[in-house]
Amino acid sequence: MDDRDVVRAVRFAFERFSAQGVKAASSFGEVRGGESARGRELAIMEAGEIVQAVIRLEARFNLVLMARVNDGSMAFLHGVFDDLVSFVAYHDPDSMAYGKAGLQYWVRHWLTGFGSFREFGRENSIHHETAGNFYRQHVEAVLHGWLVAACGELEPLLEKIYGMELTPA
């Protein structure tokens, strides 16, 4: 299972958990959607386990994973953007080479895909290849590394719940 599979599993767990909730688990007394009442209760409990595991992740891992789970939702990203910028600046001080605005540009790019190497290069009077190399070395490597770490921490739980072999993240 690669990081996209983990992201999908976490997204599904959050959707199921938030749609049904813990209190709803005991209220299912009939078969709905092809699931038995017990099957539905177990699915909600398993979703709850995944949600709790995500909540327990280290903050930087949680934020990048949830940014992917929320798939570029500007409402979610607005709440975590400054934290991610701060975490990247702290863990890779060289990421501040183009100032806070430069780092914000690249974190936003990683989160949403907006922006380009050429645009950044033009704005900062550098060659677009230099901009691309900077992004890959100081922002993408850090954020993607955190995403892989978050997925790696969740994989054993997902293997247990879904009973399938996962390939390492």
Side-chain angles (χ1 to χ4, degrees), residues 37-142:
R38 182 72 180 139
R40 179 79 59 132
E41 290 173 14
L42 287 174
I44 293 168
M45 289 173 18
E46 289 168 346
E49 279 185 73
I50 295 168
V51 167
Q52 288 300 316
V54 170
I55 290 169
R56 286 190 303 267
L57 289 172
E58 187 178 330
R60 59 192 166 135
F61 299 158
N62 178 290
L63 291 178
V64 295
L65 176 63
M66 291 308 295
R68 288 295 186 240
V69 166
N70 286 289
D71 201 24
S73 161
M74 295 311 283
F76 175 80
L77 296 179
H78 178 73
V80 302
F81 180 73
D82 289 335
D83 290 336
L84 278 177
V85 170
S86 296
F87 285 147
V88 173
Y90 176 78
H91 289 278
D92 184 355
D94 292 339
S95 66
M96 293 292 289
Y98 297 99
K100 184 176 181 181
L103 180 55
Q104 288 172 328
Y105 183 95
W106 288 125
V107 170
R108 188 176 303 107
H109 176 75
W110 188 84
L111 291 169
T112 65
F114 296 131
S116 71
F117 301 145
R118 290 190 189 282
E119 178 183 43
F120 187 85
R122 235 183 349 266
E123 290 176 6
N124 291 279
S125 302
I126 60 173
H127 194 272
H128 68 275
E129 289 178 13
T130 303
N133 288 336
F134 176 82
Y135 166 73
R136 285 186 287 278
Q137 291 173 356
H138 298 288
V139 180
E140 183 181 47
V142 170

